[in-house]
């Protein structure tokens, strides 16, 4: 059960209308390719049980989670016509669970192919799946030698009709990175041998690399949630997540007074300090200590002192007292503070900020289902 709005240290607002609009933009950008959605890690922290149906209402029918149990949890929230693909494939011995829960695996190794093949033989029917090959990222998917072994045994293609041949790009947000073309070439070389099989290569950023990269299905995640897909370019997506923290209390400090753990901030003159109920346990990274910015009515307010587990301290000198009452809200992520800006300041990426957001927020879903 989620905390009540009035009791929570912060309110996380998820704009399902903006999410749907982002989906439409990405689908258009993807040309003739189908547009799926990565909803792993609870839809990047925003709630797969709400995000999934909103995307399904836009016509999305290809959903990607990372873990089997994420797929099991998502299944009841999606129409029967929606396919849920589990990116990590079956954990050893868990193949049967995919059948019982109506999920499809992404097979990433010869071992996973053998396990899925054995189940198909036992059930005496073909069991479709996505097969992922490694095109240069060395993370998931069949390495070249395993791909050869897979293609060399005709039984596998009979028992496991590939729904898509899939791979994943390592550097797609950097449009001029030579790795993109290199991975595309490796992927296409393998694809030549399975021309009847649809293909899928692009994540959010990959969609913006052009039609050569889009194939038959694209798999955006981050861009759906408003994260910028192209490094150094304007972000065409709408923000989906906003985070507003509550002021817990306010005090005046004098020159020489200190703030927070390790007294990493000391005042050189009289300052007003407000404490806000969000901390590193809520994903508000400690690396933002003495660096972060929050906004009050569009005005930038610096974070001072070290980020605590449950709170941060901000310098609100000059802000009207009635705007600083206990319970008043300050903007941590929102129109003045895009998630990518927060991430840059914390030395990370928007993905990590969103997926780290934690479960103590009161969540509000607006703009849709
Ligand atoms: C997470 C993931 C995606 C989505 O990537 P984004 O960069 O968030 O668009 C697509 N494909 C695979 C294999 C993934 O792991």
């Amino acid at each position: 059960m989620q905390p009540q709005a009035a009791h929570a240290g912060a309110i996380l607002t998820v704009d399902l209308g903006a999410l749907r609009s982002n989906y439409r933009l990405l689908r258009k950008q993807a040309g003739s390719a189908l547009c799926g959605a990565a909803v792993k890690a609870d839809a990047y922290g925003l709630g797969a049980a709400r995000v999934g149906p909103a995307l399904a209402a836009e016509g999305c029918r290809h959903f990607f989670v990372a873990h089997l149990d994420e797929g099991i949890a998502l299944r009841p929230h999606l129409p029967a016509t929606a396919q849920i693909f589990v990116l990590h494939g079956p954990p050893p011995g868990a193949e049967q669970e995919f059948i019982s829960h109506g999920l499809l695996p992404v097979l990433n190794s010869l071992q996973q192919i053998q396990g899925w093949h054995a189940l198909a033989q036992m059930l005496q029917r073909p069991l479709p799946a996505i097969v992922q090959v490694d095109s240069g990222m060395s993370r998931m998917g069949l390495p070249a030698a395993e791909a050869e072994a897979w293609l060399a045994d005709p039984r596998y293609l009979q028992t496991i009709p590939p729904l898509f041949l899939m791979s994943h790009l390592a550097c797609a947000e950097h449009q001029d990175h030579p790795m993109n073309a290199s991975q595309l070439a490796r992927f296409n070389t393998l694809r030549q041998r399975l021309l009847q099989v649809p293909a899928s290569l692009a994540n959010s950023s990959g969609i913006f690399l052009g039609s050569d990269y889009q194939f038959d299905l694209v798999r955006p995640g981050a861009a759906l949630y408003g994260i910028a897909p192209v490094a150094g370019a304007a972000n065409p997506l709408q923000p989906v997540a906003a985070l507003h923290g509550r002021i817990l209390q306010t005090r005046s400090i004098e020159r020489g007074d200190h703030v927070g753990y390790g007294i990493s901030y000391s005042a050189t003159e009289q300052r007003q300090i407000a404490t806000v109920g969000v901390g590193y346990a809520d994903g508000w990274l400690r690396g933002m200590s003495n660096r972060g910015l929050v906004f009050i009515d569009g005005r930038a307010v610096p974070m001072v002192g070290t980020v605590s587990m449950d709170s941060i301290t901000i310098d609100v000198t000059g802000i009207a007292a009635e705007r600083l009452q206990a319970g008043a809200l300050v903007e941590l992520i929102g129109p003045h503070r895009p998630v990518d800006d927060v991430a840059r300041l914390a030395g990370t990426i928007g993905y990590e900020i969103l997926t780290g957001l934690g479960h103590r927020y009161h969540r509000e879903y607006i703009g849709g289902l």
Side-chain angles (χ1 to χ4, degrees):
M1 222 185 64
Q2 74 155 341
Q4 286 185 35
H7 302 176
I11 315 257
L12 177 65
T13 310
V14 179
D15 186 342
L16 297 174
L19 171 84
R20 290 173 65 156
S21 154
N22 289 344
Y23 179 79
R24 292 194 296 270
L25 185 147
L26 293 166
R27 185 174 55 198
K28 189 153 177 250
Q29 185 75 29
S32 58
L34 293 165
C35 190
V39 292
K40 57 194 181 183
D42 202 22
Y44 292 46
L46 302 184
R50 302 301 298 270
V51 163
L55 294 173
E58 285 297 331
C60 183
R61 287 296 177 271
H62 301 78
F63 292 86
F64 291 85
V65 295
H67 296 178
L68 169 58
D69 284 13
E70 291 180 332
I72 295 174
L74 180 60
R75 185 72 269 180
H77 300 285
L78 292 181
T81 52
Q83 295 179 312
I84 301 176
F85 299 101
V86 176
L87 287 164
H88 289 185
E95 290 82 7
Q96 179 66 55
E97 303 230 18
F98 281 70
I99 310 294
S100 359
H101 294 280
L103 305 172
L104 290 158
V106 174
L107 302 175
N108 298 291
S109 64
L110 205 52
Q111 188 191 355
Q112 285 188 334
I113 287 178
Q114 285 158 351
W116 197 241
H117 168 78
L119 182 63
Q121 282 189 317
M122 200 183 84
L123 299 177
Q124 298 190 327
R125 62 179 166 99
L127 293 181
I130 289 182
V131 177
Q132 174 162 217
V133 294
D134 178 12
S135 57
M137 193 174 176
S138 311
R139 185 186 70 166
M140 298 288 284
L142 302 177
E146 293 195 15
E148 287 307 323
W150 166 52
L151 291 172
D153 190 337
R155 289 178 315 157
Y156 290 141
L157 287 175
Q158 280 161 21
T159 56
I160 309 174
L163 293 168
F164 294 93
L165 182 70
M166 178 181 136
S167 194
H168 191 57
L169 296 165
C171 304
E173 69 276 25
H174 301 291
Q175 296 201 315
D176 46 9
H177 201 295
M179 192 65 180
N180 297 324
S182 150
Q183 287 194 267
L184 180 65
R186 276 172 78 168
F187 187 58
N188 270 325
T189 301
L190 203 74
R191 214 173 72 82
Q192 293 309 316
R193 299 160 66 183
L194 288 162
L195 275 179
Q196 73 288 8
V197 176
S200 177
L201 180 62
N203 64 338
S204 300
S205 303
I207 296 172
F208 293 85
L209 291 175
S211 55
D212 287 354
Y213 289 81
Q214 291 165 352
F215 294 97
D216 302 292
L217 170 70
V218 297
R219 311 182 305 270
L224 288 171
Y225 312 113
I227 292 172
V230 182
N235 185 357
L237 286 320
Q238 292 181 32
V240 171
L243 184 64
H244 290 88
R246 281 198 193 285
I247 292 179
L248 301 172
Q249 64 174 142
T250 307
R251 81 194 66 234
S252 186
I253 62 169
E254 303 298 326
R255 175 189 160 85
D257 282 348
H258 312 295
V259 177
Y261 282 119
I263 56 170
S264 63
Y265 173 83
S266 304
T268 54
E269 56 185 345
Q270 195 194 38
R271 309 302 295 172
Q272 277 298 110
I273 303 294
T275 306
V276 177
V278 170
Y280 60 76
D282 307 297
W284 207 248
L285 301 175
R286 202 164 166 278
M288 288 193 275
S289 298
N290 286 304
R291 313 175 44 142
L293 278 185
V294 308
F295 283 78
I296 297 181
D297 298 335
R299 189 164 152 189
V301 170
M303 284 167 54
V304 293
T306 304
V307 175
S308 297
M309 185 185 294
D310 315 303
S311 62
I312 55 173
T313 33
I314 59 178
D315 182 344
V316 292
T317 310
I319 306 268
E322 61 267 23
R323 187 60 188 77
L324 301 173
Q325 298 303 307
L329 292 169
V330 306
E331 175 186 334
L332 302 175
I333 300 173
H336 302 94
R337 200 65 183 148
V339 64
D340 288 307
D341 287 9
V342 174
R344 203 169 299 117
L345 190 121
T348 181
I349 53 176
Y351 297 65
E352 194 180 19
I353 299 295
L354 289 188
T355 56
L357 283 178
H359 293 281
R360 291 200 294 184
Y361 302 127
H362 175 78
R363 288 162 183 245
E364 265 172 28
Y365 290 88
I366 62 169
L369 296 167

